[in-house]
Amino acid sequence: MEMEREGLIKTIVPLLLGVVAGAISFLITGDIRKRDPLGIIVLVFLIYIHKFILPKVGVKIEGKDWVGIGFMAFAGWYITWTFLLNA
């Protein structure tokens, strides 16, 4: 049961932080296309935040977990930012 809980947390938290990163990236860059790299920096910062958030909720992060966490955060960020840019 503990493994399922950790797996669920390792999926939901990166997705939610990815959505937050997408919204922040949209708000920071606005209509200025030259500032797109700033949006990517926001994503990288929020992926780094996982290092501090996940142990607080009782999830042990191993080296191989970072690939999944990074991908889930990227997917949430990319989808959210794309939707907001096209709205």
Side-chain angles (χ1 to χ4, degrees), residues 2 6 13 34-35 46 50-51 55 63 77-78 82:
E2 184 68 23
E6 282 190 12
V13 171
K34 293 180 182 178
R35 291 174 55 189
L46 282 176
H50 285 90
K51 181 178 180 178
W77 168 79
Y78 185 76
T82 302

Side-chain angles (χ1 to χ4, degrees), residues 17-27 42 46 76-78 80-81 84:
L17 284 180
V19 169
V20 169
I24 292 172
S25 295
F26 176 74
L27 293 174
V42 170
L46 282 176
W77 168 79
Y78 185 76
T80 302
W81 199 11
L84 292 173

Side-chain angles (χ1 to χ4, degrees), residues 4-82:
E4 290 87 8
R5 179 184 164 279
E6 282 190 12
L8 191 60
I9 290 173
K10 287 179 187 176
T11 302
I12 292 176
V13 171
L15 276 175
L16 292 177
L17 284 180
V19 169
V20 169
I24 292 172
S25 295
F26 176 74
L27 293 174
I28 288 175
T29 59
D31 291 333
I32 304 170
R33 302 286 17 121
K34 293 180 182 178
R35 291 174 55 189
D36 281 347
L38 186 59
I40 296 169
I41 292 171
V42 170
L43 171 67
V44 171
F45 176 71
L46 282 176
I47 289 174
Y48 181 71
I49 295 292
H50 285 90
K51 181 178 180 178
F52 304 105
I53 291 176
L54 291 177
K56 296 274 187 196
V57 294
V59 176
K60 183 179 177 187
I61 305 172
E62 299 174 10
K64 63 181 179 177
D65 293 332
W66 284 108
V67 173
I69 289 170
F71 177 75
M72 296 303 283
F74 173 77
W77 168 79
Y78 185 76
I79 291 169
T80 302
W81 199 11
T82 302

